[in-house]
Amino acid sequence: MILVTGGAGYIGSHCVMALLKKGYEVVIYDNLSTGHLETVSKLSQFGYVKFINSDLLNTNDLESCFENFKIDSVIHFAAFSQVGESVKNPAKYYRNNVVGTLNLLDAMLNNNVKNIVFSSTAATYGEPKYIPIDENHPQNPINPYGQTKLVIEKIMDDYDKAYGLKSVRLRYFNVAGADVQARIGEWHEPETHLIPNILKSTFGDSKTFEMYGTDYDTKDGTCVRDYINVEDLAQAHVLALEYLKNGGKTNFFNLGTQEGNTVKEVFELCEKVTEQKIPVAIMGRRDGDPAKLVADNSKAKEILNWMPQKSLEDSIQTAYQWEKELSNLNVEVIA
């Protein structure tokens, strides 16, 4: 049985779906601060899912979880992840992300569970010194969110050396898309990610999409990012879990496509998929936005035998279908 912390959230829920497809039994542990009970209900239709509504800061609930279920491995998503908020309120991030993870690791050790797949981030690298970014790139985060993830990676190294707890850290770049059947998808309140915000501009009162910075040293002046499909990402977690189950050593991998797309390219693809002209306002640069962030994913391909399958247009198609579902769901929930 696999414990998935944060399994009611965006990426966690897609990972749970991928695990269920492979026949795994899953316990979701989530405080629903950004996840949704509707997502848990949907997932429970596709396999064995138990849900614990609690927080990683609640050590009694954590211990009960391990005592009540025969958990053999953990996939850990639960974290606060808003960069701007982490700068304004670092205490919230260090307490939740770092202390919560320490509680989880200690509960694992108390119950002799020695395999964990950790949701890390490309934010641990900070300002890129070269592109594409490989796993040997220096890790020098420029915000507290990235710092919390790096601290956790270092803790996991120490827990391996001292206690034999094996981890795989997956460093994501930009995640996009939704379940291909629009059963689950990205659902943040408020939404801060590029693609859903562009797509939301096509609903209701057709609000204007704000594009930040058109004077970067890129082919069209807008930032370049590496967009990985969420279902491809979920598949990487299953492969990482099986790598550990088969005796793999503690390791870390970049997850991206090794291709970059500019904000303008993403915007134009959104207009193509929605068949709508989306109103846009050109704004100044945001502080801390690097011109380019692109992954070197060759290590994950070689060791995990992982290969991204879906294109950016595929991701936008599924994201758009999900936004349609979500707009209906939100109407029903409010009603």
Side-chain angles (χ1 to χ4, degrees):
M1 191 173 291
I2 314 301
L3 174 64
V4 181
T5 71
Y10 173 41
I11 302 171
S13 62
H14 287 82
C15 182
V16 171
M17 186 74 85
L19 289 167
L20 295 174
K21 286 179 183 176
K22 293 275 288 191
Y24 287 101
E25 297 180 338
V26 176
V27 178
I28 294 174
Y29 191 103
D30 198 304
N31 66 6
L32 300 180
S33 61
T34 56
H36 299 274
L37 202 52
E38 295 90 339
T39 301
V40 177
S41 298
K42 183 69 73 173
L43 290 167
S44 66
Q45 299 172 22
F46 303 102
Y48 181 98
V49 177
K50 293 293 183 182
F51 175 59
I52 298 171
N53 182 3
S54 191
D55 197 283
L56 292 178
L57 299 179
N58 187 326
T59 53
N60 290 333
D61 283 355
L62 259 180
E63 284 295 337
S64 295
C65 172
F66 280 91
E67 288 167 9
N68 294 334
F69 299 99
K70 292 181 179 177
I71 291 161
D72 61 73
S73 303
V74 176
I75 304 182
H76 178 31
F77 295 96
F80 293 140
S81 60
Q82 299 299 324
V83 168
E85 183 187 48
S86 80
V87 174
K88 292 176 182 173
N89 191 359
K92 175 181 178 179
Y93 276 67
Y94 282 101
R95 186 171 296 108
N96 183 77
N97 294 6
V98 179
V99 177
T101 301
L102 277 170
N103 291 342
L104 175 63
L105 296 180
D106 289 345
M108 289 174 64
L109 292 179
N110 291 343
N111 293 275
N112 199 34
V113 178
K114 295 292 185 75
N115 290 335
I116 183 168
V117 178
F118 174 55
S119 165
S120 191
T121 171
T124 64
Y125 294 121
E127 291 284 350
K129 297 187 180 300
Y130 54 84
I131 299 290
I133 297 169
D134 60 20
E135 290 82 356
N136 295 319
H137 188 287
Q139 288 181 286
N140 186 24
I142 59 173
N143 54 65
Y145 164 65
Q147 291 281 17
T148 66
K149 294 287 189 174
L150 181 56
V151 166
I152 292 166
E153 289 204 23
K154 292 182 180 298
I155 289 168
M156 287 179 170
D157 281 333
D158 291 338
Y159 271 51
D160 182 7
K161 290 170 191 163
Y163 313 121
L165 192 152
K166 303 297 179 190
S167 63
V168 169
R169 283 95 72 164
L170 299 176
R171 299 170 185 160
Y172 315 162
F173 282 65
N174 288 56
V175 187
D179 169 63
V180 71
Q181 295 181 46
R183 296 168 295 189
I184 53 174
E186 189 163 8
W187 187 356
H188 297 123
E189 296 166 356
E191 183 56 70
T192 60
H193 292 158
L194 176 67
I195 290 171
N197 270 330
I198 297 174
L199 296 174
K200 285 178 190 298
S201 300
T202 68
F203 289 92
D205 56 1
S206 296
K207 65 179 181 178
T208 300
F209 171 71
E210 295 179 345
M211 187 178 294
Y212 292 93
T214 56
D215 58 348
Y216 289 93
D217 183 19
T218 61
K219 59 185 172 183
D220 63 19
T222 61
C223 289
V224 172
R225 295 293 183 265
D226 187 338
Y227 295 91
I228 176 174
N229 179 271
V230 70
E231 290 189 312
D232 286 341
L233 191 70
Q235 193 57 38
H237 288 77
V238 176
L239 291 170
L241 177 72
E242 292 174 346
Y243 161 88
L244 287 174
K245 282 177 169 286
N246 291 327
K249 63 179 185 179
T250 289
N251 217 327
F252 40 85
F253 302 94
N254 287 342
L255 296 181
T257 64
Q258 210 152 314
E259 297 176 4
N261 291 93
T262 68
V263 173
K264 280 185 180 176
E265 287 172 334
V266 173
F267 183 81
E268 287 163 6
L269 270 176
C270 287
E271 288 193 322
K272 176 185 174 185
V273 166
T274 62
E275 299 180 335
Q276 295 190 49
K277 195 72 181 167
I278 300 171
V280 60
I282 305 302
M283 315 294 284
R285 293 188 186 190
R286 290 184 301 195
D287 289 342
D289 268 350
K292 297 179 185 177
L293 285 175
V294 179
D296 182 331
N297 62 13
S298 52
K299 184 179 176 185
K301 288 179 181 176
E302 179 187 347
I303 296 176
L304 297 180
N305 197 28
W306 173 77
M307 179 72 72
Q309 303 292 322
K310 299 176 189 292
S311 68
L312 177 58
E313 187 167 347
D314 292 333
S315 293
I316 292 171
Q317 285 278 8
T318 55
Y320 187 47
Q321 291 308 311
W322 168 248
E323 287 296 338
K324 290 178 181 176
E325 288 291 321
L326 191 57
S327 64
N328 293 332
L329 181 63
N330 281 337
V331 168
E332 290 167 15
V333 169
I334 292 166

